[in-house]
Amino acid sequence: MPAPGPDSVVRDELGIPHLRAASLTELMRLQGRVTAGDRAWQVEHQRWRMEGRTAEYLGEQGLPWDRFARQVRLEATARACYEALDEETRDVVAAYVAGVNDALPTALPQAQEVRVLGIESYAAQPRPWEPWTPLGIFWAIHLLFGTFPSKLFAAHVRSTLGPGWLDLFDTEGGPWQAGSNAWVVGGHRTASGLPLVAGDPHRTIELPGTYQQVGLACPGVDVVGFSFPGVPGVQHFAHGGRVAWAITNAMADYQDLTEEQLRPGADGLEARGPDGWEPTDSAVETIAVRGAPDVEVPVVVTRRGPVITGLDLDAADGSTGAGAGPAAYSLRTPSQVGLDLGFSALVPLLRAQDVDDVVAALAHWVEPVNSAVVADDTGAMRHLVVGRVARRHEANLVGPVPAWDPRHRWDGWAPDPVTVVEDVMVSANDRASGGGLGAQYATPFRAERIRELLGDRHDLTTDDCAAISMDTRNGQADLMRELVSAADVTGAAAAVRSMLLGWDGHSDVDSPGAAVFAEWRHELVTWFVEHPAVAPLRTSAGHSPLFDAWLSVPQAVGASWAAMARGCGRVGIDVRQGVVAALETVAGQEDPGAWGDRHTFDPIHVLDGWPGSPLVGGAPTPGDSGCVLAAGSTPGLSDRCSKGPVARYVWDLADRDASRWVVPGGSSGFEASPHFADQLEDWLAGRTHRVGQPRR
């Protein structure tokens, strides 16, 4: 690349922007301008989400999210958190917003999505962003990232099947829960003599991509990394020249659901708290819906937090109470309790020069709670667990708790542990790296597999680490063999059994064994779901469709079938029958082909199904949710891949230019751009690109 001048944007051959400015505020304004220019539709849609106004443009499909956004007071919280920021951070965020507002009116009309929606007149004169919009975008991305939706499912299990069933839906019982990986390797183990930091965050694969690759430079700042479009700086993964860091989800439990009792009082709606009946803040908001009448939404906030389920309009105006629907649960989060979304970490991260600087910056982090690995060019390495987790009763981690019981109050924050790393640290959503702040983790399989692949080598390179991210050894294979080897079957079912036992356990695209395994797993999950003992769970919990993915019985069983297979005997389910039934069903089906025939790339776009919406998909995709390459499927429902590594990177502390990165799409959010999906083929094949340099 040519050397950039002051206040310049230089793009590499992948269209990735490298920005330089004379000051930090000018740099942030430039980042906002470039982000809006590259990702106009994406960031504007994210703005609608934070405002609870998606239905205004998308119609009724946006209503479930908008109801939630209004009831959780998403934008109001973002505004309060913005106003509480220190002056420099507030100026930085405001500069970024000014840059977005500079570019959005020109860039947004060019988006294919604008034409699909027929909102050309709006796109030419979009409403200006507010200074707090980036904070709301960040929180909207992560609100459903925590544990509270799974607590809705736990409450449903408890009420329909009984509390004795809860541990049968323990996703820690199988090595396919979550999927992110990050590790740091000491310089005595690398070819360069300085540490390597590598990783691959796994999320829902979206179109355009979740992360934006970017370079940012001004006096005192020189970083390359990944940013959430619509949020200034680099948040999770970056290389600052002398120091680099990476994160995974620490699987901490930092969100509480509290069961509320509501009643009308003399001055409005009241909620029962630990000291008796208390006033609430209650209102009714109106959501405009494209092609349909406006919808009124009750908003109720108790001293525990905003009520997000079980409300109707009568409850909001205080005339009849909470109604006869599902329980009224309020959501309590560190961000709302402290009016802090962690944005005070962003500027110190940009300026960080060593591991101590990163540790100090991440002390400001709030949520989501992350497990971070950090290394610098002196060879120092650290492992941190960062974010705010309240000290409270252990029952709070399992499911909803009663508002009127004083045992469930919060009592300060748990400490953020910092550990010196001497050799290797692997963080893979496992209990060992999570700081003990959660209830459920991924099993240690991925972390142990990464350590196994690192071995005892002392010549590791960026290419070696990139290859580890592509490992397809499936941790589910061992349990399958245990179950299938004990099955008493004959004929065609015995042939299926033999094929499964002969499978090498790798979920490669050309593997017939991986395809047969997936079909057997699908049938076993279906058998569990349809078992009479599980039938009560298939009744509706009555909650918003927004939470359907967490309340789906097939998805819940698919994520926890290992725990069910090992423990369902005590609730009267004979898993041996299910294993045999699954073998016999597969034996009667057509040849499933190879894994890549069924495990295909299937990113999510908010306009999926709309005529003319952008489409990228169908390519055979390696890996599975039990692999280091946790390109997930949904056992019991679909083998298509909509979750997986939304980025891969290897940061080289000896030579930043030798660092590697790739994303499953491209740098542009415009379908007509050559950089819309030009990294996909390399992402599928496991190839990476030198940071800011031509690919190889």
Side-chain angles (χ1 to χ4, degrees):
M1 291 189 305
D7 300 320
S8 65
V9 180
V10 176
R11 295 182 184 271
D12 63 22
E13 67 169 8
L14 296 171
I16 297 168
H18 295 257
L19 316 180
R20 182 178 295 275
S23 69
L24 182 58
T25 53
E26 285 303 309
L27 180 64
M28 292 297 97
R29 183 164 188 150
L30 188 59
Q31 186 185 10
R33 188 180 305 133
V34 168
T35 300
D38 287 350
R39 303 288 188 99
W41 152 257
Q42 183 180 21
V43 297
E44 184 65 0
H45 174 249
Q46 295 282 21
R47 187 261 283 271
W48 297 344
R49 280 172 52 84
M50 67 84 63
E51 294 174 333
R53 296 178 68 168
T54 63
E56 187 173 336
Y57 307 98
L58 307 181
E60 293 183 351
Q61 78 175 66
L63 268 176
W65 170 264
D66 288 355
R67 286 178 184 272
F68 173 70
R70 301 295 184 94
Q71 290 183 329
V72 83
R73 301 187 77 246
L74 200 161
E75 184 176 15
T77 300
R79 180 172 186 171
C81 292
Y82 171 80
E83 292 170 350
L85 287 173
D86 62 274
E87 183 177 357
E88 183 178 35
T89 305
R90 197 164 53 242
D91 289 347
V92 160
V93 175
Y96 182 91
V97 167
V100 171
N101 286 332
D102 288 343
L104 203 58
T106 301
L108 190 57
Q110 301 174 43
Q112 174 71 10
E113 290 86 349
V114 166
R115 293 187 288 277
V116 170
L117 291 172
I119 56 171
E120 289 85 352
S121 59
Y122 170 85
Q125 292 183 310
R127 292 176 289 108
W129 279 30
E130 301 290 353
W132 53 85
T133 297
L135 284 80
I137 286 175
F138 181 81
W139 202 37
I141 291 171
H142 292 104
L143 259 172
L144 299 181
F145 209 66
T147 55
F148 88 84
S150 65
K151 292 177 182 179
L152 292 175
F153 181 73
H156 188 47
V157 171
R158 184 184 286 119
S159 65
T160 56
L161 302 181
W165 280 75
L166 285 174
D167 62 344
L168 296 181
F169 293 95
D170 179 5
T171 52
E172 192 174 350
W176 38 95
Q177 165 68 0
S180 298
N181 309 296
W183 63 93
V184 60
V185 181
H188 63 288
R189 301 286 302 277
T190 71
S192 72
L194 284 177
L196 295 170
V197 176
D200 50 359
H202 288 64
R203 292 172 176 253
T204 299
I205 303 173
E206 299 176 358
L207 198 67
T210 303
Y211 287 108
Q212 178 186 38
Q213 297 151 293
V214 67
L216 300 170
C218 71
V221 172
D222 187 3
V223 301
V224 293
F226 296 88
S227 182
F228 290 104
V231 182
V234 288
Q235 300 85 38
H236 286 168
F237 327 97
H239 195 318
R242 296 187 56 200
V243 65
W245 64 93
I247 65 98
T248 66
N249 190 326
M251 308 298 284
D253 189 286
Y254 54 89
Q255 297 174 328
D256 274 2
L257 276 185
T258 304
E259 183 178 356
E260 301 282 357
Q261 288 185 359
L262 303 174
R263 74 177 188 184
D267 297 316
L269 199 64
E270 297 178 339
R272 182 186 173 196
D275 301 315
W277 291 95
E278 310 160 342
T280 68
D281 291 329
S282 305
V284 175
E285 295 199 10
T286 300
I287 298 174
V289 184
R290 177 176 178 168
D294 292 352
V295 172
E296 292 186 324
V297 176
V299 178
V300 176
V301 182
T302 76
R303 293 181 182 175
R304 272 68 55 194
V307 179
I308 59 168
T309 68
L311 287 176
D312 56 31
L313 283 175
D314 287 339
D317 64 23
S319 61
T320 64
Y329 294 137
S330 63
L331 175 63
R332 189 166 176 81
T333 68
S335 291
Q336 284 186 319
V337 169
L339 291 181
D340 186 355
L341 282 160
F343 269 50
S344 293
L346 299 186
V347 172
L349 280 175
L350 289 172
R351 293 179 174 148
Q353 295 294 303
D354 57 30
V355 294
D356 291 335
D357 289 344
V358 175
V359 171
L362 291 178
H364 298 286
W365 199 260
V366 178
E367 58 177 277
V369 178
N370 291 328
S371 170
V373 291
V374 191
D376 66 27
D377 62 0
T378 71
M381 301 182 293
R382 299 288 187 273
H383 171 241
L384 332 171
V385 176
V386 298
R388 292 186 193 156
V389 179
R391 295 188 184 97
R392 75 268 205 226
H393 195 280
E394 61 183 13
N396 292 46
L397 279 66
V398 179
V401 294
W404 49 92
D405 188 337
R407 294 177 300 171
H408 302 294
R409 286 173 163 146
W410 286 14
D411 182 24
W413 307 112
D416 289 348
V418 179
T419 305
V420 174
V421 178
E422 300 287 355
D423 183 38
V424 172
M425 174 64 201
V426 180
S427 178
N429 314 122
D430 55 305
R431 187 175 292 271
S433 68
L437 299 174
Q440 292 192 13
Y441 296 84
T443 65
F445 172 79
R446 280 185 290 109
E448 291 173 353
R449 178 64 175 167
I450 292 169
R451 291 190 187 95
E452 176 187 344
L453 293 168
L454 291 170
D456 58 0
R457 292 180 54 182
H458 289 74
D459 60 350
L460 292 161
T461 67
T462 56
D463 286 341
D464 294 324
C465 286
I468 287 172
S469 292
M470 293 297 295
D471 185 68
T472 60
R473 173 71 172 86
N474 197 324
Q476 302 174 82
D478 293 338
L479 175 60
M480 176 275 293
R481 290 192 184 96
E482 176 187 330
L483 297 172
V484 168
S485 62
D488 184 11
V489 290
T490 60
V496 172
R497 176 179 176 272
S498 295
M499 188 172 187
L500 287 171
L501 294 177
W503 174 44
D504 66 2
H506 285 263
S507 293
D508 297 319
V509 292
D510 59 354
S511 171
V516 173
F517 163 70
E519 191 58 37
W520 172 84
R521 178 181 60 185
H522 170 83
E523 296 302 336
L524 179 61
V525 168
T526 301
W527 184 86
F528 276 127
V529 170
E530 295 177 350
H531 195 281
V534 181
L537 195 61
R538 301 199 298 270
T539 59
S540 173
H543 294 301
S544 165
L546 182 67
F547 306 120
D548 281 353
W550 290 270
L551 293 165
S552 163
V553 179
Q555 288 201 61
V557 174
S560 58
W561 68 267
M564 295 197 73
R566 292 187 174 113
C568 62
R570 62 177 174 76
V571 293
I573 298 177
D574 186 352
V575 69
R576 294 171 298 180
Q577 295 179 5
V579 171
V580 169
L583 288 169
E584 291 175 342
T585 302
V586 173
Q589 295 172 344
E590 295 182 1
D591 182 353
W595 177 229
D597 297 331
R598 55 198 301 129
H599 191 240
T600 55
F601 185 68
D602 188 26
I604 304 300
H605 191 286
V606 69
L607 298 184
D608 282 345
W610 289 65
S613 63
L615 293 174
V616 174
T621 304
D624 193 11
S625 46
C627 309
V628 172
L629 176 50
S633 56
T634 312
L637 291 176
S638 172
D639 288 322
R640 293 191 300 274
C641 179
S642 297
K643 293 184 178 181
V646 293
R648 295 192 193 98
Y649 55 88
V650 186
W651 305 136
D652 188 343
L653 269 302
D655 179 4
R656 187 174 72 179
D657 286 347
S659 298
R660 319 288 300 176
W661 59 3
V662 73
V663 295
S667 60
S668 175
F670 293 93
E671 186 182 30
S673 167
H675 301 303
F676 181 67
D678 57 337
Q679 297 183 53
L680 175 58
E681 183 177 342
D682 293 317
W683 179 86
L684 289 166
R687 294 186 293 267
T688 54
H689 307 275
R690 285 175 64 91
V691 170
Q693 301 293 330
R695 77 185 83 183
R696 70 182 184 196

